[in-house]
Amino acid sequence: MKLKLLTLFAVVAVVGCASGDMVDPDPPAAEGPPNLSGTYSLVSVTGVLTQGATVGPPIAAGTFVLSQTPSSGDAATGTMSLDGTFTNPLTGDVTAIMDSGTYTVRADGSWEQTGQTGPASGTYTVAGNVLTVMVTEPAAAVSTTVWQRQ
């Protein structure tokens, strides 16, 4: 009889706890975008300049330097500078690519930049020390660049 009473008490205690007003915990704070600060070396680029071909060093080479302020909510801003070259494999002509300005990244993966060459927007991803920036606007700047953090 004591065992049945003890079992009944345990069931009542569990049901009593489960039927009480449960307060949902606060949702976790929104996580901001990753800190992209650093110096990156070009791994590859695909875009208008390369006529859709994916190329890397030595045909395309460059350095991308990002300095980012702490995120505010789901966005972070910073400064950027780009110094690169593209060598036309058919003619040997070298095109210097230089730009500096500001950028904004968001936790949803969106990327915006404003530089001396004009504004651009698209998306970005980070996997370990590899940053990939996919510019989708404007049409003349559409490209995918892959960078390795040094």
Side-chain angles (χ1 to χ4, degrees), residues 53-148:
T54 300
V55 296
I59 294 173
T63 303
F64 197 32
V65 179
L66 301 176
S67 178
Q68 185 172 310
T69 59
S71 63
S72 174
D74 73 339
T77 60
T79 59
M80 56 149 214
S81 66
L82 171 67
D83 185 9
T85 59
F86 173 74
T87 304
N88 184 318
L90 301 176
T91 65
D93 293 339
V94 177
T95 302
I97 304 164
M98 297 176 156
D99 197 11
S100 63
T102 60
Y103 72 97
T104 300
V105 289
R106 292 188 174 72
D108 68 0
S110 61
W111 170 279
E112 295 173 5
Q113 69 185 56
T114 302
Q116 297 168 339
T117 60
S121 63
T123 60
Y124 74 97
T125 60
V126 177
N129 286 333
V130 177
L131 168 65
T132 303
V133 178
M134 294 138 296
V135 173
T136 56
E137 294 290 332
V142 169
S143 62
T144 298
T145 51
V146 179
W147 303 92
Q148 175 76 46

Side-chain angles (χ1 to χ4, degrees), residues 40-51:
Y40 298 81
S41 295
L42 183 68
V43 173
S44 68
V45 59
T46 307
V48 175
L49 181 64
T50 66
Q51 298 178 6

Side-chain angles (χ1 to χ4, degrees), residues 1-16:
M1 183 67 166
K2 281 187 176 183
L3 184 57
K4 286 185 181 182
L5 188 56
L6 192 56
T7 303
L8 179 61
F9 178 71
V11 169
V12 170
V14 169
V15 171

